[in-house]
Amino acid sequence: MPQRFQNFIDGRWQDPKSEKWFDRENPATGETLGTFPDSGRNDVGDAVAAAVKAQAEWQRTPAPHRGEILFRAAEMMVARKEELSREVTTEMGKVLKEARGDVQEAIDMTYYMAGEGRRQFGHVVPSELPDKFAMAVRQPHGVVAAITPWNFPLAIPSWKLMPALVAGNTVVFKPSPYSPLSAYNIVRILEEVGLAPGVVNLVFGEDDTGAALVEDPRVGMVSFTGSMEVGREIAAYCGRHGKRVHLEMGGKNAIIVLDDADVELALEGAVWSAFGTTGQRCTAASRLIVQRGLMAEFSDRLMARASTLRLGNGLDDSVEMGPVVNQPQLQKVESYVGIGVEEGATIACGGSRLKDGELAKGYFFPPTVFADVKPKMRIAQEEIFGPVTDLIACASLEEAVAVNNDVPYGLVTSIYTRDVTKAFKAMEGITTGIVYVNAGTIGAEVHLPFGGTKGTGNGHREAGIAALDSYSEWKTVYVDYSGRLQKAQIDR
Ligand code: UN1
């Protein structure tokens, strides 16, 4: 019998009132990992009620004390890093080295936000009137709904939970049904370090569970990472109901390689950015925009490397790329490969599912490179979220930047060049939320803003101080100690 997991509501682990459950399997082996609640509206309602009940007390808890609890959680993650990492690999397939990175990112974020307990700077500025004090301080939204994807099972929940908590919000957390184990692990840790009942609540479930959470009128703010379609539905709902919303909805990121680039460095960056995490990152490089003078050499060397990456179970140390997360995702990748061929692109390597031997038990798809890709093809415009990347030729820096910017998303761009003038021109012209020079598209650090322009987001950012802006609102406070009526602009 696989282990049965429960929801965590008001400080108690409990079965779902819905009496419905789902199983999660290891995508590399097909083995069942556990059975989890498929929560219904009643379960979500209970979780939100618990979060509402706990919120005032949590907000009254001094922020430095809130931070100390997070600090203890970070310490516990450090102590358990290896087991947490193995469970990331078993539930969603990324190789163990990357899973450790995922856990480390959660640790970094938790320490960072613990420190914010003693900062959360506001503004104190001179008033334009005598005997008047002016400042702006942060206040929480109340109850935050955190809806997270499976590709960073520990890091992304920490990006949402930790800033929300340190800012004084309580949380109802609904993780992807494809990464429930890590969600359980992070909530267990918060419970063990002494978070009061109701401050964080966990409801497992599918899309309906998420919808019930978004629609609960007591939820003040929704933070969602996932697809553009779902994100836009959430935004529309929140717009109609005057609810705060933070969205992170993927990317169609490019690496620009100019003729003068360090080719070896660019190749390494491209292979890592396109095929790391099996291409299942918002930050994955799914377009390689290469200047014509370098295209032949770059594409030959890229294919040589991509086609020899070792696929397999991510727990095996020699494996370089794990499986795709599930059957629907595998079908999506396969269907985009078909679309690319129909559009006239050439499969330079990879292109079809691995069906032999041990790997046939899992959802394995090889690193796939499309050559002869035109910027307006669907494979060059839409997010595939798998191990597929496109080679697009360009004549100049200007053309490369224009092609880079001309997609519905705006998360990350990287450029390889040895020319400092070109690097600065690129930094200026690129419109994505994150830019790398002489590095791949992945490697964001927790203390800087993370997020993107256009279809990637809605103007908010995660991580860094920017996260506190997402999880709090400004309260501007004027204290007039003049003892008489002062009228700001009218008095001038
Ligand atoms: C994501 O892909 O959803 O820079 C997050 C990176 C990681 C975070 C990725 N630090 O790729």
Side-chain angles (χ1 to χ4, degrees):
M1 263 294 272
Q3 190 183 344
R4 261 194 180 209
F5 291 81
Q6 294 173 304
N7 287 329
F8 186 64
I9 298 174
D10 207 9
R12 280 190 310 115
W13 294 95
Q14 45 193 281
D15 284 352
K17 287 184 176 160
S18 68
E19 295 179 6
K20 291 203 293 195
W21 302 83
F22 67 87
D23 287 341
R24 177 63 190 139
E25 66 190 339
N26 178 334
T29 62
E31 282 161 356
T32 302
L33 292 174
T35 301
F36 298 86
D38 184 6
S39 311
R41 280 188 187 263
N42 286 341
D43 302 302
V44 169
D46 288 352
V48 177
V52 169
K53 195 173 70 175
Q55 203 272 325
E57 190 59 35
W58 180 242
Q59 185 171 348
R60 258 198 309 277
T61 305
H65 295 185
R66 297 199 294 260
E68 281 164 25
I69 295 178
L70 299 195
F71 188 87
R72 292 204 293 273
E75 298 276 271
M76 201 170 276
M77 287 185 219
V78 171
R80 297 189 188 163
K81 183 170 173 183
E82 200 52 29
E83 55 184 279
L84 293 172
S85 306
R86 296 185 79 83
E87 298 212 325
V88 166
T89 296
T90 51
E91 73 177 339
M92 59 66 70
K94 69 171 71 172
V95 299
L96 194 50
K97 253 193 224 129
E98 291 181 22
R100 292 189 187 111
D102 192 323
V103 176
Q104 188 59 46
E105 199 157 343
I107 292 169
D108 294 345
M109 181 58 86
T110 308
Y111 275 131
Y112 175 62
M113 286 299 161
E116 281 310 309
R118 288 193 183 267
R119 285 185 294 262
Q120 296 190 34
F121 298 126
H123 306 291
V124 177
V125 291
S127 164
E128 63 190 52
L129 294 168
D131 300 326
K132 187 176 171 191
F133 188 89
M135 64 182 166
V137 297
R138 295 178 185 277
Q139 60 183 330
H141 296 294
V143 176
V144 167
I147 305 179
T148 60
W150 45 263
N151 68 330
F152 277 84
L154 223 64
I156 293 181
S158 80
W159 291 7
K160 299 190 190 304
L161 267 51
M162 303 314 169
L165 291 174
V166 83
N169 303 280
T170 53
V171 177
V172 180
F173 171 27
K174 206 296 277 179
S176 161
Y178 295 104
S179 58
L181 261 184
S182 297
Y184 168 80
N185 287 338
I186 195 171
V187 171
R188 268 304 294 270
I189 286 175
L190 289 167
E191 178 194 15
E192 284 177 43
V193 297
L195 207 61
V199 175
V200 167
N201 305 276
L202 170 65
V203 283
F204 294 103
E206 316 255 355
D207 293 354
D208 289 350
T209 313
L213 184 54
V214 169
E215 289 165 17
D216 191 303
R218 297 164 294 178
V219 167
M221 186 233 183
V222 178
S223 178
F224 169 82
T225 299
S227 72
M228 205 198 289
E229 299 74 54
V230 176
R232 288 195 168 165
E233 271 177 44
I234 292 176
Y237 183 89
C238 292
R240 280 199 302 279
H241 293 83
K243 212 176 263 227
R244 304 291 177 263
V245 60
H246 159 272
L247 303 170
E248 209 277 277
M249 301 175 288
K252 191 69 192 174
N253 315 296
I255 295 182
I256 298 172
V257 187
L258 297 184
D259 282 347
D260 67 58
D262 177 334
V263 187
E264 179 55 31
L265 194 66
L267 277 166
E268 270 183 315
V271 171
W272 165 230
S273 304
F275 305 121
T277 324
T278 319
Q280 302 171 120
R281 289 190 183 228
C282 311
T283 53
S286 53
R287 297 181 298 154
L288 307 171
I289 305 173
V290 184
Q291 207 170 354
R292 283 189 208 285
L294 209 59
M295 184 54 112
E297 180 189 351
F298 187 85
S299 57
D300 284 353
R301 288 174 64 181
L302 176 72
M303 281 176 269
R305 286 186 197 204
S307 52
T308 53
L309 283 180
R310 237 187 87 113
L311 270 64
N313 186 331
L315 290 178
D316 172 347
D317 269 342
S318 66
V319 163
E320 293 166 294
M321 196 176 100
V324 166
V325 71
N326 57 30
Q327 180 69 27
Q329 206 56 36
L330 185 70
Q331 277 164 349
K332 184 175 176 198
V333 171
E334 284 174 333
S335 101
Y336 269 105
V337 169
I339 290 168
V341 171
E342 261 169 48
E343 288 179 307
T346 317
I347 297 176
C349 70
S352 54
R353 180 186 181 173
L354 301 179
K355 296 198 184 87
D356 297 328
E358 269 300 290
L359 296 191
K361 291 189 195 146
Y363 304 120
F364 288 95
F365 200 91
T368 297
V369 178
F370 269 115
D372 307 315
V373 177
K374 300 283 173 286
K376 284 294 191 185
M377 288 179 178
R378 283 184 60 195
I379 54 166
Q381 290 283 323
E382 297 171 20
E383 187 180 52
I384 300 174
F385 225 65
V388 181
T389 194
D390 304 333
L391 282 165
I392 301 175
C394 72
S396 63
L397 167 66
E398 291 68 28
E399 187 189 337
V401 169
V403 167
N404 173 67
N405 291 346
D406 191 15
V407 288
Y409 296 93
L411 187 53
V412 193
T413 310
S414 88
I415 177 157
Y416 282 87
T417 177
R418 287 179 163 119
D419 182 332
V420 70
T421 305
K422 289 185 174 155
F424 271 89
K425 280 199 188 305
M427 282 182 245
E428 197 177 282
I430 288 167
T431 55
T432 49
I434 303 170
V435 178
Y436 290 93
V437 178
N438 292 329
T441 53
I442 63 190
E445 301 176 28
V446 302
H447 51 304
L448 286 118
F450 180 94
T453 56
K454 298 192 280 184
T456 294
N458 63 338
H460 290 276
R461 291 291 183 270
E462 298 200 274
I465 299 295
L468 292 180
D469 292 334
S470 297
Y471 292 99
S472 67
E473 293 209 60
W474 288 111
K475 176 155 60 189
T476 304
V477 183
Y478 299 105
V479 182
D480 191 319
Y481 52 98
S482 68
R484 60 182 190 281
L485 177 65
Q486 300 199 89
K487 304 197 208 82
Q489 298 77 14
I490 315 269
D491 289 350
R492 291 288 294 272

